[in-house]
Amino acid sequence: MLSSRWRRGTAVLRWRSLVAVGDSFTEGMDDPGPGDTFVGWADRLATLLAAEAPDFRYANLAIRGKMLPEIIEQQVPLAASLKPDLVTFCGGGNDIMVPNSDPDALAEQYEVAVADLRAAGCDVVIFTGFDTRSTPLLRSLRGKVAIYNSHLWSISERYHCHMVDLWSMHVLQDRRAWSEDRLHLSPEGHRRVALRVAKALGLANDGEWNAPWPAAEEAEWMTQRRQDLRWAREHVVPWIGRLLRGESMGDGLAPKRPELLPIARMPEDDRSLTKEKG
């Protein structure tokens, strides 16, 4: 069922502008776009909204590797100054992975930023962290993620935000939802998250993002262990090295879409965002 504020086929839409802030998840890694760019769930969501609002504008300030204090200091004030109708705000995942990080302290910082965005007149979408139970070496973080998530639910209630519960998206427990590094979503994973956000905004139904995956053959135990070892060697070890050196994948990068600009409307016969994929 669609929201009463959304009338398909008319120009009535509550949100005419969207700013996305965050890290690699919101930038769109690993959902390849033209050239060296990424698409991602936020771009897909903006395309869906723009299909119904010809004057819709969109900015994406997210940069891979950013920690929550950097997002709050560098992106949130700019987002508020643009005065969009809607802001998506996801951050803290990189911080949680740092040894000895404190999810309670992170949530306190997060809440101040949400309060600032709401004071600027923006509707805000926030996200829980993913459930890491199916990812080797990250399972030990589940407790910290759960504590952080509980704070985010409280923040969402206090500030009347739209909540996207990534933890409960069991379709994301399938490896096909993730890219080779198992830290970033695949194109299909991004598509499903975009539709899940649309659901939180009242613009989609559960069946669109929660459709079962096609049957797939399970790899043999030894093959899975070899894949896990290769993943740790090629992706986890380099990430730990950057962390210890105080480096980030986003060092020196600028936001891919720093201004609120119109985006092309999606043709009526090419709504690939909402088509089910095999």
Side-chain angles (χ1 to χ4, degrees):
M1 180 178 296
L2 298 177
S3 166
S4 60
R5 294 181 180 271
W6 171 280
R7 301 176 189 173
R8 187 170 297 279
T10 77
V12 177
L13 179 64
R14 177 177 180 177
W15 302 286
R16 298 303 181 102
S17 54
L18 165 66
V19 175
V21 301
D23 52 29
S24 58
F25 168 67
T26 303
E27 183 185 349
M29 294 178 70
D30 282 319
D31 184 8
D36 295 327
T37 65
F38 294 106
V39 182
W41 67 264
D43 288 18
R44 291 168 179 265
L45 175 68
T47 301
L48 187 154
L49 295 171
E52 300 294 341
D55 58 346
F56 186 83
R57 296 175 301 146
Y58 168 58
N60 190 321
L61 309 180
I63 297 177
R64 68 198 74 170
K66 290 299 182 182
M67 310 295 273
L68 183 61
E70 294 176 301
I71 296 170
I72 293 172
E73 179 181 351
Q74 299 167 11
Q75 299 178 28
V76 169
L78 178 54
S81 71
L82 293 173
K83 298 189 180 302
D85 298 326
L86 183 65
V87 174
T88 63
F89 177 24
C90 186
N94 292 324
D95 308 73
I96 289 289
M97 290 192 286
V98 175
N100 301 319
S101 60
D102 182 352
D104 299 312
L106 288 172
E108 290 178 2
Q109 299 175 64
Y110 194 103
E111 181 165 1
V112 172
V114 170
D116 289 344
L117 291 170
R118 294 294 283 144
C122 309
D123 284 346
V124 178
V125 179
I126 65 178
F127 302 75
T128 68
F130 294 104
D131 185 352
T132 60
R133 66 179 174 177
S134 61
T135 307
L137 302 183
L138 299 183
R139 294 190 187 102
S140 61
L141 299 176
R142 290 187 81 207
K144 287 204 296 185
V145 176
I147 292 171
Y148 190 51
N149 285 351
S150 68
H151 285 299
L152 295 179
W153 276 107
S154 297
I155 292 169
S156 174
E157 183 174 353
R158 282 195 292 274
Y159 294 92
H160 307 287
C161 301
H162 301 273
M163 172 59 84
V164 177
D165 187 7
L166 298 174
W167 180 283
S168 70
M169 286 187 67
H170 299 301
V171 292
L172 299 183
Q173 296 297 320
D174 191 292
R175 284 198 177 182
R176 287 169 289 184
W178 298 90
S179 66
E180 185 177 343
D181 69 8
R182 306 187 194 177
L183 299 172
H184 301 102
L185 293 169
S186 66
E188 177 63 5
H190 277 286
R191 188 187 76 91
R192 288 175 182 260
V193 168
L195 289 168
R196 179 64 185 85
V197 181
K199 171 64 167 56
L201 295 174
L203 313 180
N205 60 56
D206 288 335
E208 291 179 301
W209 63 266
N210 201 27
W213 291 87
E217 292 185 8
E218 283 289 329
E220 295 181 354
W221 185 90
M222 184 58 69
T223 300
Q224 290 180 343
R225 300 294 76 77
R226 291 195 186 103
Q227 292 172 346
D228 291 343
L229 289 172
R230 187 179 67 178
W231 167 72
R233 182 177 63 251
E234 296 181 359
H235 300 287
V236 177
V237 172
W239 178 84
I240 294 173
R242 288 194 298 269
L243 178 66
L244 295 175
R245 294 190 299 271
E247 299 174 354
S248 166
M249 292 188 300
D251 289 344
L253 294 181
K256 67 178 183 180
R257 193 180 177 92
E259 300 178 65
L260 271 177
L261 296 172
I263 62 177
R265 296 185 66 185
M266 182 183 286
E268 291 295 323
D269 60 349
D270 187 27
R271 294 178 180 255
S272 58
L273 179 65
T274 56
K275 291 178 182 176
E276 297 295 341
K277 293 189 176 182

